[in-house]
Amino acid sequence: MRSSGNNSNRNHRGAGNSRDDKQKRTGRPPRPEERRYGKQGGPGGPAKPARKRPAPARSREYDAQIEERNRARHDKPAPKLPKTHGEPEGERLQKVLARAGLGSRRACEELIDQARVEVNGKIVTEQGRRVDPDKDEIKVDGLTIASQSYLFFALNKPAGVVASMEDPEGRQCLGDYVQNRETRLFHVGRLDTETEGLILLTNHGELAHRLTHPRYGVKKSYLAAIRGPIPRDLGKRLKDGIKLEDGYARADHFKVVENTGNNYLVEVSLHEGRKHIVRRMLAEAGFPVDKLVRTHFGPLALGSQKSGWLRRLTNTEVGQLMREVGL
């Protein structure tokens, strides 16, 4: 009987340690961490995670519409806010100069102090002058600065590239070098497909028009590879004029740059812009051109710019071009 009572006490102590008996004695509901869940989320096992529904697939057309709406929203011009009472019009002159690439605002203030800046033909010496860069003519050291809205590039066109912004036959053209630009560019003048060298690209219509108009006579220089021997009076013949089917063509300058055996490299400068003009002049004189490169366009030089490279013109170069045609 004693041993039976001992077993009963042990069982009672063991049962008293269970979570269920403890809850019965205390009379409180089980805590969340004490609850047991079965396979289906009920008592006796772990909860089964809920299945997520897959997101519906979107079509490419729908994604394209979203992209187009976002782009249209961001491409909208910034709203023009009304001026506060007494606010002066225009931008500070030193800010416009700095944006044009003439240095920091402090450096541009020094340009004004040195009386090197003029607005609409009058030299400005006081700080804080406000201007409208789209209407006012601003010059530094006599050169017109380029407005922010205009772009000017120089390309060393390789041989085989068509001198047009688009080509219906799918050949490589100038437009391939200026893709993804914010504004549409166009070329200034033309070069033959097989002619290499300097060609300008811009969105400044008036400057492009004047640079190619015969009235302004902008000079272009070319290096031509021909085979000799060549007579001593070839330069004189070219300067006096070569008769072509569309009239006489005259060179402004001619010189032999290099000579190796019967291979000659000559420089020809002229201000005309007729099609194939240099090739036609030399061929009519008896010396067909093997290779032709344009090295100068007005005051700009090709220099060491590599074939196929595009570079942005400096403000000084733009000012030189504008002065060349009276802008």
Side-chain angles (χ1 to χ4, degrees):
M1 295 293 296
R2 186 178 298 172
S3 61
S4 170
N6 291 339
N7 291 338
S8 155
N9 291 337
R10 264 197 307 273
N11 292 338
H12 179 73
R13 284 195 301 268
N17 291 334
S18 69
R19 187 178 295 112
D20 296 338
D21 292 343
K22 185 177 180 180
Q23 293 170 0
K24 291 179 181 178
R25 292 198 307 272
T26 57
R28 63 171 178 80
R31 296 176 181 175
E33 64 269 17
E34 296 175 341
R35 295 173 184 164
R36 297 180 181 179
Y37 298 92
K39 294 182 179 180
Q40 301 300 325
K48 188 175 181 180
R51 295 181 60 184
K52 295 183 178 179
R53 295 183 178 179
R58 297 190 311 195
S59 65
R60 293 185 179 179
E61 292 78 6
Y62 183 68
D63 288 337
Q65 292 176 3
I66 294 177
E67 178 66 21
E68 188 173 349
R69 284 199 298 267
N70 292 338
R71 188 175 301 172
R73 184 169 64 251
H74 290 292
D75 288 345
K76 288 182 180 179
K80 195 170 184 180
L81 301 177
K83 294 190 306 177
T84 58
H85 180 70
E87 181 185 357
E89 295 182 356
E91 297 181 76
R92 290 183 178 273
L93 180 57
Q94 59 266 38
K95 180 180 178 181
V96 176
L97 296 175
R99 191 174 62 232
L102 293 170
S104 64
R105 292 193 187 183
R106 178 57 188 156
C108 294
E109 290 174 356
E110 294 179 359
L111 292 176
I112 297 174
D113 291 336
Q114 296 167 4
R116 297 169 59 184
V117 182
E118 58 180 283
V119 177
N120 298 329
K122 296 181 180 180
I123 294 178
V124 178
T125 55
E126 72 276 8
Q127 300 293 339
R129 169 73 179 271
R130 290 186 173 266
V131 296
D132 184 346
D134 294 329
K135 297 180 180 179
D136 295 324
E137 183 183 37
I138 307 170
K139 293 184 178 182
V140 177
D141 296 333
L143 298 178
T144 304
I145 71 166
S147 172
Q148 186 185 27
S149 59
Y150 292 121
L151 299 175
F152 307 88
F153 294 95
L155 172 68
N156 185 353
K157 186 186 87 67
V161 175
V162 180
S164 63
M165 303 310 292
E166 296 179 357
D167 184 66
E169 300 179 13
R171 296 172 295 179
Q172 189 176 13
C173 61
L174 300 178
D176 296 332
Y177 293 88
V178 291
Q179 291 180 349
N180 301 323
R181 298 288 172 185
E182 296 178 356
T183 183
R184 180 176 178 271
L185 300 173
F186 45 87
H187 53 92
V188 181
R190 299 180 65 88
L191 283 177
D192 307 335
T193 302
E194 296 306 318
T195 300
E196 309 172 33
L198 181 62
I199 190 166
L200 305 181
L201 305 169
T202 184
N203 60 344
H204 195 300
E206 181 61 22
L207 177 62
H209 169 71
R210 295 194 182 194
L211 287 173
T212 55
H213 198 282
R215 172 186 172 186
Y216 297 95
V218 178
K219 185 183 293 187
K220 280 84 70 177
S221 296
Y222 300 80
L223 286 178
I226 60 176
R227 296 187 181 184
I230 61 176
R232 298 183 62 180
D233 66 340
L234 177 59
K236 184 177 184 302
R237 290 173 57 191
L238 294 174
K239 293 177 184 178
D240 290 342
I242 300 293
K243 187 177 181 180
L244 304 175
E245 63 272 13
D246 53 353
Y248 278 89
R250 295 177 175 82
D252 299 322
H253 175 75
F254 174 86
K255 73 173 181 179
V256 177
V257 177
E258 188 178 300
N259 170 221
T260 304
N262 286 335
N263 297 320
Y264 286 80
L265 187 65
V266 299
E267 182 181 66
V268 180
S269 299
L270 69 170
H271 61 270
E272 292 198 46
R274 281 183 277 173
K275 188 176 182 179
H276 306 293
I277 188 67
V278 176
R279 292 181 182 272
R280 291 162 58 199
M281 289 176 64
L282 289 172
E284 187 66 25
F287 301 95
V289 175
D290 294 331
K291 183 178 180 180
L292 189 64
V293 180
R294 181 156 70 188
T295 58
H296 291 78
F297 194 111
L300 301 188
L302 183 63
S304 58
Q305 185 174 343
K306 295 182 180 179
S307 178
W309 282 33
L310 180 79
R311 71 175 182 88
R312 191 161 186 167
L313 298 185
T314 66
N315 183 72
T316 300
E317 290 174 321
V318 175
Q320 291 173 343
L321 286 174
M322 290 186 171
R323 183 169 61 181
E324 182 81 10
V325 294
L327 286 177

